[in-house]
Structure formats: C-alpha cells, structure tokens
Amino acid sequence: MSAHYPIFLVVAPLMAALVIAIIARERPGLCPPLAAIALTASLWSAAGMLCRVLAEGPFSYHIGNWPPPMGIAYEVDHLNALVLVAMAAVALINLITTRQAVASDFTGREGYFYALYLLFCAGTFGILVTGDAFNLYVLLEITSISGYALVGLGHRDAALASLNYVFMGTIGASLYLLGVGYLYLITGTLNMADIFSILPRLFGSKVVVAAFVIAMTGLFMKMALFPLHGWLPNAYSEAASPVRSLIAPLTTKTMIYVMVRLGLYVFPPDFTFNHLLFAKVVVWVAAAGIVCASVLALSQTSLRRMLAYVLIAEVGYMVGGFWLGNRMAITGAILHIVNDAAMTLCVFLAVGSFTHQLRDDRFATLKGCFRRMPWTMVVLATAGLSMIGVPPTCGFFSKWYLIGGALTADHWGLVAALIFSSLVNAVLFFRVFEIAYYEPFADPHQEHRPALSYAEAPATMLAPMLFTAAGLVGLGLLTGRIVTHIIDAAIPAAIL
Amino acid sequence: MTTAGYINLIIAKYNYWIYIVLMCIGLWAMIAKRNLIKKIIGMNILQTAIILFYVSIATKKGATLPILGHHDAGHFVDYATVINPLPHVLMLTAIVVSVATLGVALALAMKIYNRYDTLEEDEIHARVRES
C-alpha cells in the first residue's frame, strides 16, 4: 500500500467526488463523512510520503508502470512532501470546520458542493505531486474549473466575480500551456526531470527564454501577483465562506509552489536567477506589489476584502523572496508557503464564523465582538499577530528568513517593502481589535453598557479553529526542525 | 534583414504567425469587448490558437499518419515518414479542458443574465453600483 501513496493521494478524493456526485440527491447525509474519509486518506498518504522522503530521500512513482520520460511520473521530494502535508491538512480542517456553514449556505445542494470540493482538492494534490509539465496543466485546469464553479455558487455578485476569474485564470493557464509547448518544441519531452537534464545544453536558445517568460507570466496571473491580481479581491469576497476558506489558502500557494518547482527543478537555477534580467525585475515588481496591496488593504471596509488585499501582499513576499535567488530567501519563501496557508486558513475560518453567526463581517458589525464571540476573536487575534509577524507565531519566522535573505542580497527595496507591509498589517489588525474590544462605547453619563447578545459559534466549529490557531504557534516553534530537516534538502545544493 | 528575408520569415513560419494572430484576436476580444458572450468567444479563440500551435509543431513535410499496418509489424519505422502523434494526443485533453471551461463560463453568463437582465458589462456595473 505505502508504495502507492502518490497515486492514492489523488485518486481517493477523485473517486469520492464521483461517488458523492452520484449519491448527492438520494443520500445527502452520507456526503460529508465520505468527503472527510477521502481527505483523511489523502492526508495519511501525504504524511506517509513525507516520512518516507525523510527516511529514504526522494522517490518517484510510475503511473501504470510506464517508465518516464514516456510515461507520467509522480515525483515526491522534500519540497512537495512538505507542501502536500500542509495543503491536505488545510483541506481536511476546513471541511470539518465548515460543516454547519455548508449545511446552511447550500441547503439541498450540499452533495454537489462536496463533489466540487473534492475535485478541487484532487487537482491541487495532483499539481503538487506530478513530475510531468503537461499533466500539471491538466490538473491545474481541474482545480481551476472546480474553483470557478465553487466561487460561482455564492450569492449576490458571485457569478460576475467568478466569470472574471474564469477570464483571468484561462489566460494564465493558456500562457502556461504555451510555455510548456515551447519547452516541448525545443527539448522533445514533457517530463520535468528530463527537461532539466536537457536544458543546460540549450542556454543560448531564444525558444527557452520565450518558454520561461511565457510560463512564468501565466503563473503570475494565476497566483494574483500585483498588478495581475484583478480577479482575486472580488472572487474571494463574493464566494461563500466555506469556499473562501478553501480556495484562499490553496490556490495562490499552490501556484507559488509551481513557480518554485519550475524555477529550481525544470529550469536550472543558474538560468532562472542569473541568465536573464527577469529575476531582478520580478523582485522589484513584487516589492511594489507588496506596498500597493498593503495600501489598498487600508481602504477596505469589510474584514474579508481587507484580508484579500493582505493575501495579495503575501504573494508578493513569496515571489520576491524566491526570485532573490539566495538560500536564505528561498528558505523563507518555501516556509512561507506552509505558514501562509495555515495563517490564511485561520483568518478566513474566523471570518466564516462571523458570517455564520452575525451574517456579516463589515467592521461596523464587529463592534463588541470580544464579548459576543470571545473564542473566535482569540483565533482571529492569533492569526492577525502571525500575519503581522509577532513571535512565537509562524509568520514571524518566515518573515525573518525573507528579510534576512533580502539583506544578504543587499536588496533594500524588498526589505523596506516587507517592513512597511508588516507595519501596515499591524495597523490593519489592531484597528479590527480596537473596534471589537472597545466599541460600542459605554455612555459616560448614564454608566450603562449597551446590551450585547452572546453569539459564539458552536463548539464543532470552534474546536478545529482553535486547533488551527494553536497550530500557528506550533508551526512557529517547529520552524528550526522544518528548515534543517526538510527545506534545506528541498533547495538544490548549488544555491548558496 | 532584406525584404526577401522578411517575406521568407513570414512564409516559412506561417503556422506560428497564424497562431499569434488568432491569439491576439482572442485577447483583444477578451479585453476590448463589452459583451460577456463576446468575451467568452474571445477566450475560446485564445485556447484554440494554442491548440493550433501544438498541432502545427507535430507535422513533417511529406510524412504520413502514424498508423502501422500489418506489413510494418516488427520492422524498423523511419520517424521522418510519420508525423509526431504526441501533440495531437495532448490537444485532445486540451480540447476537453476548453469545452469544460466554455461550459462553466456560459453557465455563469446565464446566472449573470438571470440576475441583471443584461450581458453588457457597462449595464451590469451600473446595476452593481445601484444595489
């Protein structure tokens, strides 16, 4: 069994999605447990693969026993084993937490929601594990199309936001496909390891440069790097809350993983970082993006729209860190993929709790929330502190590596952008805390406190949320081990 | 480069020019058109352009279909006489993807039409601002 973990990881949610879609109408009650079982199986496989990678080193799985480069291989190494465990855990925790919100938001359509949810997860896990450039495109589209449908399930202007997401997402994916086409044209193979071994002989080729720039630009669109972020704020704020807390941690982070995979293991790192001016330009774009997204976050009036812009700034952190091209910065970028997935899950679960209990998450609604929903506010506060970067939460450590890497590279622009964004995050989150803690103000003359109803979320939602919040601190405390045992091995030794 | 050189560049590599022109038409429709259905058609043209690119890189001059008859079994097959079947197979998947994307996009367009009673972007944005 354990030899088949890489394929089991993808097949379990895929098959469960099929079964759920069939039984959705007759047995809606069976759908959530089935989805939970499938995602538990995926998490189990991901954890098993991480253990095997740590014990034996990277391994590959040949689908249908066809050896690469002819067949499709699933390659598992330190980099994707780590990200896989994080993503599988995020998907499972979100599934458990949002059980009640799904029941009230999607009454009568629950089964179809879970089928899409599992398809989305299957695609994401496939992207993370595959070692074939074209297979990655297909899985990317499986994820995207189920993502479009999930966003479109929301109310109000969700369909419009989703269609906009379809347009931007399709251009991004098509550019990636075109890049892969150029790579195939010049190397004659689609297997990533094979491309990697052939490319050093072709450094002078314009086709390789075209493939690189086109594929990376496509990925930047999919990951919502400023200024290609247009689809993200509306798509994330119009989506229903269970959808939001699924796609916000998974989509952009998976795309950043793909960028890291292409930059380190498809294109040789020497080509990625030194051969073109591209890397330097991207770092500056990321720095500008961090600043602009942080400023835009200041002007939002609801929690989820504010967080959508914070998320765009976080994409800038990882992109900027990666393209600096030194070991410390890339460590920070990879660590931030995991940490940001956990932080984003945590904040959006808290937002989901507000929208489920109070039906709104505008700042005006949050008045007095420390008294009305104390535990949810604890979760939000932990995640907020982590996004600001307060030790011992995990956000501090990845930012530490990113700033350290930027200092090593003498890139003061990115250092300034990172620090500016941390300060803006402090303002953003403490403004929310202030509204929730101090307002509504007591009447000074009559000494009476306004009546506030206690509206805490049910324990079944709270328990996994508190677990996630504790996980942010736990991840922070484990940073040393994650970096020395996993991330160090995930970065090629040639990068100093 | 001489004029003859430029003409040669266009004629010798006409398949790439066609795909680039198609791609630009698709992108232009997606950016400039205000009607959502026209945008969706533009998106489909963009995807079709890339399919054309893949299929065109598989062809060889004077080559035939990559189907082996009975008399070929066990014999050496000269690669120069058959076209490369792999890009075609890849594009079968890409066609399925583009059909699925188109389906989702049209379903969303229907949902938008039911809500705003129009598919013109300007009018939709006006309605969004009103509410």
Side-chain angles (χ1 to χ4, degrees):
Chain A
M1 182 63 224
S2 65
H4 295 286
Y5 277 155
I7 192 70
F8 190 60
L9 172 89
V10 181
V11 166
L14 198 61
M15 287 297 143
L18 187 67
V19 173
I20 286 177
I22 293 170
I23 65 168
R25 220 173 268 279
E26 278 75 31
R27 298 278 178 82
L30 275 180
C31 299
L34 203 57
I37 291 169
L39 287 181
T40 312
S42 289
L43 180 59
W44 177 266
S45 319
M49 292 194 304
L50 181 62
C51 292
R52 183 168 161 196
V53 164
L54 286 177
E56 301 168 18
F59 60 96
S60 72
Y61 178 85
H62 303 162
I63 291 178
N65 250 341
W66 288 87
M70 287 301 146
I72 292 171
Y74 277 8
E75 308 277 354
V76 185
D77 59 13
H78 292 81
L79 175 62
N80 59 9
L82 173 71
V83 180
L84 268 173
V85 172
M87 297 300 180
V90 164
L92 181 62
I93 292 172
N94 184 52
L95 184 86
I96 295 169
T97 317
T98 55
R99 173 79 193 86
Q100 274 152 321
V102 173
S104 66
D105 284 3
F106 300 105
T107 320
R109 299 182 293 168
E110 273 178 278
Y112 301 112
F113 169 82
Y114 283 113
L116 285 172
Y117 192 110
L118 288 180
L119 273 180
F120 182 88
C121 294
T124 305
F125 300 154
I127 292 174
L128 293 171
V129 82
T130 190
D132 184 278
F134 186 80
N135 192 235
L136 196 151
Y137 165 75
V138 176
L139 290 158
L140 179 66
E141 287 289 22
I142 291 176
T143 315
S144 305
I145 293 172
S146 36
Y148 305 145
L150 281 170
V151 172
L153 284 176
H155 301 291
R156 294 196 301 274
D157 301 325
L160 191 60
S162 177
L163 190 59
N164 202 14
Y165 181 19
V166 172
F167 291 145
M168 297 285 275
T170 304
I171 296 178
S174 299
L175 288 180
Y176 172 79
L177 180 62
L178 194 57
V180 171
Y182 277 115
L183 271 184
Y184 176 70
L185 190 64
I186 192 86
T187 61
T189 176
L190 291 164
N191 183 281
M192 290 180 181
D194 217 22
I195 296 175
F196 184 78
S197 66
I198 293 172
L199 274 186
R201 280 173 266 157
L202 300 165
F203 266 10
S205 166
K206 278 182 195 151
V207 181
V208 178
V209 175
F212 180 75
V213 174
I214 293 173
M216 285 296 176
T217 312
L219 291 178
F220 290 152
M221 283 190 90
K222 293 289 282 188
M223 74 175 68
L225 177 70
F226 192 94
L228 302 171
H229 68 286
W231 57 271
L232 190 144
N234 279 336
Y236 283 13
S237 56
E238 296 297 337
S241 66
V243 175
R244 193 185 310 130
S245 48
L246 173 72
I247 62 174
L250 261 53
T251 315
T252 51
K253 260 58 79 180
T254 309
M255 287 306 113
I256 286 161
Y257 159 81
V258 176
M259 176 188 78
V260 174
R261 169 69 60 189
L262 285 190
L264 295 182
Y265 293 103
V266 176
F267 294 93
D270 181 37
F271 178 84
T272 307
F273 298 120
N274 304 328
H275 201 71
L276 302 171
L277 197 63
F278 195 71
K280 293 189 181 62
V281 176
V282 173
V283 177
W284 278 108
V285 169
I290 293 171
V291 173
C292 295
S294 299
V295 171
L296 284 170
L298 279 169
S299 66
Q300 305 305 319
T301 53
S302 76
L303 197 52
R304 56 186 157 181
R305 283 197 79 87
M306 175 191 109
L307 289 170
Y309 283 99
V310 171
L311 210 62
I312 296 169
E314 303 270 341
V315 170
Y317 291 10
M318 289 174 268
V319 173
F322 175 72
W323 289 92
L324 281 175
N326 64 53
R327 196 169 193 89
M328 194 170 187
I330 296 178
T331 305
I334 296 174
L335 187 62
H336 205 66
I337 294 178
V338 176
N339 291 351
D340 196 38
M343 292 188 303
T344 315
L345 173 72
C346 200
V347 276
F348 279 111
L349 284 181
V351 174
S353 172
F354 290 130
T355 49
H356 187 243
Q357 298 300 118
L358 309 173
R359 297 275 141 221
D360 200 1
D361 69 329
R362 272 173 297 187
F363 293 147
T365 323
L366 298 181
K367 287 176 182 174
C369 263
F370 267 107
R371 271 172 282 161
R372 302 185 69 189
M373 304 175 68
W375 292 108
T376 306
M377 281 310 293
V378 167
V379 173
L380 183 70
T382 316
L385 291 178
S386 183
M387 285 196 155
I388 296 165
V390 179
T393 53
C394 58
F396 167 75
F397 295 96
S398 41
K399 214 170 266 183
W400 175 267
Y401 278 102
L402 287 169
I403 293 181
L407 287 174
T408 314
D410 276 334
H411 200 292
W412 295 95
L414 190 63
V415 175
L418 285 167
I419 293 174
F420 175 76
S421 162
S422 301
L423 294 175
V424 171
N425 279 359
V427 173
L428 290 170
F429 281 102
F430 277 94
R431 181 174 62 176
V432 175
F433 299 158
E434 187 186 317
I435 293 169
Y437 196 82
Y438 292 110
E439 292 187 31
F441 301 110
D443 186 343
H445 299 296
Q446 292 160 9
E447 294 277 316
H448 96 101
R449 292 183 109 178
L452 286 172
S453 58
Y454 189 73
E456 187 53 276
T460 43
M461 276 177 91
L462 267 184
M465 277 165 61
L466 288 166
F467 174 78
T468 316
L472 294 184
V473 179
L475 266 178
L477 296 177
L478 283 174
T479 300
R481 288 190 180 188
I482 295 175
V483 169
T484 48
H485 291 299
I486 306 174
I487 297 181
D488 260 351
I491 302 173
I495 293 175
L496 300 174
Chain B
M1 208 186 287
T2 58
T3 321
Y6 280 116
I7 293 173
N8 203 26
L9 186 70
I10 292 171
I11 293 176
K13 310 215 186 284
Y14 70 94
N15 55 331
Y16 299 114
W17 288 105
I18 292 174
Y19 111 77
I20 287 171
V21 168
L22 274 178
M23 210 172 144
C24 291
I25 292 173
L27 275 175
W28 176 74
M30 287 174 85
I31 295 165
K33 291 289 171 190
R34 310 308 299 171
N35 184 297
L36 290 180
I37 298 294
K38 286 183 183 167
K39 278 180 180 253
I40 292 172
I41 293 171
M43 179 180 87
N44 218 24
I45 294 174
L46 174 78
Q47 289 174 312
T48 312
I50 292 170
I51 292 172
L52 194 67
F53 162 71
Y54 265 84
V55 171
S56 76
I57 62 176
T59 52
K60 290 169 192 162
K61 209 167 188 178
T64 177
L65 297 175
I67 300 170
L68 303 186
H70 285 295
H71 56 277
D72 292 326
H75 292 285
F76 170 76
V77 177
D78 184 8
Y79 289 125
T81 62
V82 289
I83 62 166
N84 181 359
L86 184 67
H88 293 79
V89 179
L90 298 179
M91 284 310 104
L92 279 182
T93 319
I95 290 168
V96 174
V97 165
S98 90
V99 168
T101 319
L102 185 66
V104 173
L106 287 174
L108 289 169
M110 269 175 66
K111 212 177 162 189
I112 291 171
Y113 186 77
N114 287 340
R115 183 175 160 80
Y116 307 100
D117 286 323
T118 176
L119 284 168
E120 296 296 326
E121 237 184 3
D122 307 337
E123 294 170 29
I124 293 172
H125 286 302
R127 303 257 159 105
V128 170
R129 269 191 295 274
E130 276 168 31
S131 60

